[in-house]
Every structure is written in structure tokens, then in C-alpha cells.
Amino acid sequence: MPDEVSEQGTVRYIRCPACGAPNPGSAPKCSRCGHPMQAKEVAETARPAPAQPAAQIVCAKCRKPLPPGSKFCGFCGAPLVAPAPAAPKPADQHVTPTEPIIPAVTPKAASPAPKAPTPPSPPARPVVAKPPVPVPVSPAPRPPARPAPAAAPTPPVGEGTQVFSGLRVPKIEASITEVKPDGSTGKTTRILKETSIGRTNCDVTHPNDLLLSPRHASLAIRTGKLFLKDLGSQNGTFIKQRQDAELMPGDVFLLGRELFRFNTQTMEESPGQASPEGTQPLMGAPKLQRGPVTAKLERIHLTGEVIEEFKLDKSETTLGRTKGDLVFKDDPYMSGTHARITAQPGRFLLQDLKSRNGIYRRIRGEVELREGDEFFLGEKLFRVEIKVT
């Protein structure tokens, strides 16, 4: 039936009382289920679609009743969502409408309103479902966009963990303050560049201090640290010892007003001789054998001239003004028990015994200064102040 495209057109259609499918008015039986068509059902086209029986389903778009098992609407072509399964009914079973049949007023009212003219399309049989069309009401969610193949995945970062962006050198603000003999403070100098200290032509100049060299020492900030460097001065630069420290040969340190120099020596024994039984030493044995390491302490002048020597032949040697192995009664700046030198296997340690004025050691080359450090050169004592920003 090429002209029977829809309910609109020149051919009149009526619905099957069993399955609701449209059929030509002259058809004796339903083209879908085979149920005989009756004359009284022609009037059903003039009223709204009867209530859907329990075994039928209704199109969600055009609200037309459809037979069970349908996947697409035979009227508008819309896909049916979640069709409810139903058992097929016998072909000869008559379905009684749940609503009373209302006769049509005029035959024209039975036909739906004509649609707007559209471009011609190939005809389709009423019993054949139209291809599915997209439903704009509920579009399917789009999947998330996948990353480009060339992009490497970003490794997960733990909660609260910052991404490492390189090492950061801390910035510091450093200054030195002069400490007077009575304990009061004098001038404060900020270290903004390499700062020289000496007797003439320096950033910090003390022309009346005869113990200072013309350019005695310098201070500089590098990599977030403050460094003190001796510039080859004649009398040296001294820094206060913070904790127990190992003595090296040639080290010079100050206790009170007394200046000391530490030295070691290795005793050599006589060449190996044959035993009383006549046993000769092994061939290639050294002629001289090294004995134990011994140390001595020299009290010196600023010029380096030795005043007297003391052997450090005990495990501990104590120095002080009133008590100890080495006593210096005439030094008012030395505490009663000021310091101690302890002999350990292969080394000697210099320890401060909580003295009032501490121990000052002469630096070699360059040393790092910390907050609160004290150093002196010539007759001037300075305290270091460092603030990290």
C-alpha cells in the first residue's frame, strides 16, 4: 500500500481494537495482529486514543498505544525506553476499552492536524518501525576528553606536599658590635659587602690600636653565611671556642692573658736488634720503630717566642689560676680552674671548664661565624649578630 504512509493523506485509517495499529478503512483484518476490523471502530479515530490496556505500552513522545514488544513507535518513529515485557494475546481475543467510546462529531475531526510540508521521503510501511532518531530531551552524557598521547601523565602529589622547585639560599642580615673592656657596647657595623678591619684604610679602622696590622681581617657574606678571614696579620685573629675541640699541631689559644701553642711529636725507638737467643729480625724491617705520640704545651709571646714548655704526659692536664696541674696565679683574667687538655687515642681535646672569659683560638685562614660568636683582633673585641630573612 504505497499511499498508506500515515494517518494523514487521502486514505483513511482506523485503529485495530486489539493492538491499536492503524489500518486502511477498507481492510477486513488488522495487518499486524490479524484481528477482524468492525465498522463501529471507524468512529474511534474521531476521539483521543483510548486508555492503554494493561498489556500495551504508550509512546513517550506522541502518547500513542503500541503493541507489547515494540522497540520503536510506529507513528512517530521514536525509540521506546525500557519496554515492559508482556505475553502475546490470542489473535481472536477482543480487548474492551476501559473508557466508553465517544462517537466522532465529524469525520474531519478524526484526523490529526496536518503537518507542515516537508521534503519528500521514501515511504515506509506502517508495520515497519522507523529508524531511531535522537531524543533531544535526554541526550547521552559525553565521555570525558582523553589527554593527548604526547602528554605525559602528571604524577600524583601527596596532600599538603609542595612541589620541589630547587634549593633556596637563605638571606641574612649580619652586623658586628664592639664590646668594651667594662662590658658595655660600642659602635655597630652592618656587613653589606666585604668589610675589612685594620689600622689604616679599612672599612672599620682603629688607627690607635698598635696590635692591629694595616689590613688585619675581613668579613663577607656568601651563600647565606658570614665568614671571618685573617689577612695574614702579624698577631692573628681569635674566635671564642663554643664547645670541646680537637687540638692540632701548631694551634694557638688564649686563656686569660696567657698565650699557648700546642705541639706534638712522635718518639722513635732504637733499631731492632737480635734477641738473646740469636734470632735476627725479619728482612726488610724498618730500622727505626715509631713510638707513642707525645704532646707539649708552650707558653709564648705574641711574637711566637717561647717562654716555657709543659709536657702533657697525663691523661688530663688542668690549667687555672688557683687549682690544676698548670697554675698561673698572676693572671686576674683566668678562672680558678679554667681549662683542661684531655688525651684520647690519637688526639687531644681542649675543654672549657665553664670559665668566665672563655677560650679564644687563633683561626687559620677563614672560619664561619654564627649568631652570638665573639672574636678579637689587636685589642678590640666584637660580638656577631645574624638575622635570617
Side-chain angles (χ1 to χ4, degrees):
M1 294 178 290
D3 297 331
E4 299 170 4
V5 178
S6 64
E7 294 181 283
Q8 304 168 3
T10 58
V11 180
R12 188 177 183 184
Y13 288 84
I14 59 174
R15 299 183 183 277
C16 175
C19 65
N23 290 272
S26 60
K29 294 184 180 181
C30 178
S31 62
R32 179 179 293 244
C33 65
H35 192 276
M37 306 295 292
Q38 299 179 6
K40 67 177 182 178
E41 295 165 356
V42 177
E44 296 180 5
T45 58
R47 64 174 183 84
Q52 178 64 26
Q56 295 181 350
I57 57 178
V58 179
C59 176
K61 184 176 181 182
C62 64
R63 309 302 301 175
K64 298 299 179 67
L66 301 170
S70 299
K71 297 182 178 180
F72 301 94
C73 179
F75 302 97
C76 65
L80 302 179
V81 181
K89 296 183 178 181
D92 56 351
Q93 183 178 357
H94 179 74
V95 178
T96 304
T98 57
E99 296 180 0
I101 299 176
I102 302 175
V105 178
T106 58
K108 294 184 179 180
S111 301
K115 295 183 179 179
T118 56
S121 58
R125 297 180 182 274
V127 295
V128 179
K130 294 183 180 180
V133 294
V135 181
V137 179
S138 56
R142 297 180 61 185
R146 300 180 61 184
T154 304
V157 180
E159 184 178 357
T161 303
Q162 299 294 329
V163 178
F164 178 75
S165 59
L167 298 177
R168 176 182 176 271
V169 178
K171 295 182 179 180
I172 64 171
E173 296 179 358
S175 61
I176 56 173
T177 302
E178 182 181 353
V179 181
K180 297 182 179 181
D182 59 357
S184 61
T185 58
K187 182 180 178 181
T188 297
T189 303
R190 291 189 62 185
I191 310 302
L192 301 176
K193 59 181 183 62
E194 186 173 359
T195 304
S196 59
I197 306 175
R199 195 173 70 250
T200 58
N201 299 326
C202 292
D203 299 301
V204 180
T205 303
H206 297 278
N208 299 326
D209 191 341
L210 300 180
L211 296 180
L212 285 176
S213 297
R215 286 179 57 84
H216 198 107
S218 67
L219 293 150
I221 297 176
R222 296 194 307 273
T223 64
K225 298 178 181 179
L226 178 64
F227 294 92
L228 172 65
K229 182 178 182 180
D230 184 81
L231 300 178
S233 64
Q234 180 178 355
N235 296 322
T237 303
F238 293 77
I239 184 172
K240 191 173 185 179
Q241 178 175 300
R242 279 182 170 268
Q243 57 188 7
D244 299 349
E246 181 178 356
L247 287 171
M248 304 300 293
D251 278 353
V252 176
F253 58 93
L254 183 72
L255 304 181
R257 287 287 186 180
E258 306 298 330
L259 195 62
F260 298 92
R261 181 168 57 208
F262 173 81
N263 275 312
T264 61
Q265 63 182 6
T266 302
M267 297 181 61
E268 295 181 350
E269 298 179 349
S270 58
Q273 299 178 357
S275 64
E277 292 80 8
T279 303
Q280 297 295 324
L282 293 175
M283 294 182 61
K287 295 181 179 181
L288 296 178
Q289 299 179 356
R290 292 186 176 276
V293 176
T294 61
K296 64 178 180 179
L297 197 62
E298 301 171 341
R299 188 162 71 95
I300 60 175
H301 289 295
L302 280 175
T303 59
E305 180 183 356
V306 178
I307 301 174
E308 57 182 329
E309 295 183 356
F310 308 97
K311 289 185 177 181
L312 302 176
D313 51 2
K314 297 181 180 181
S315 59
E316 293 183 354
T317 302
T318 305
L319 298 86
R321 181 168 51 85
T322 59
K323 297 180 181 179
D325 302 294
L326 304 178
V327 178
F328 304 90
K329 297 180 179 180
D330 298 332
D331 190 342
Y333 296 95
M334 188 177 292
S335 299
T337 52
H338 198 109
R340 179 170 55 211
I341 299 176
T342 303
Q344 295 184 356
R347 65 175 186 169
F348 291 84
L349 292 181
L350 177 61
Q351 300 172 314
D352 184 12
L353 300 180
K354 299 181 180 180
S355 62
R356 180 176 182 180
N357 295 317
I359 301 172
Y360 288 85
R361 299 183 61 171
R362 184 171 182 172
I363 68 173
R364 297 186 179 187
E366 185 179 69
V367 295
E368 179 186 353
L369 295 176
R370 299 180 181 179
E371 167 66 22
D373 276 346
E374 293 182 357
F375 67 93
F376 79 87
L377 53 164
E379 295 181 345
K380 298 295 183 291
L381 178 66
F382 298 92
R383 181 179 296 118
V384 177
E385 298 177 2
I386 298 177
K387 180 181 179 181
V388 181
T389 59

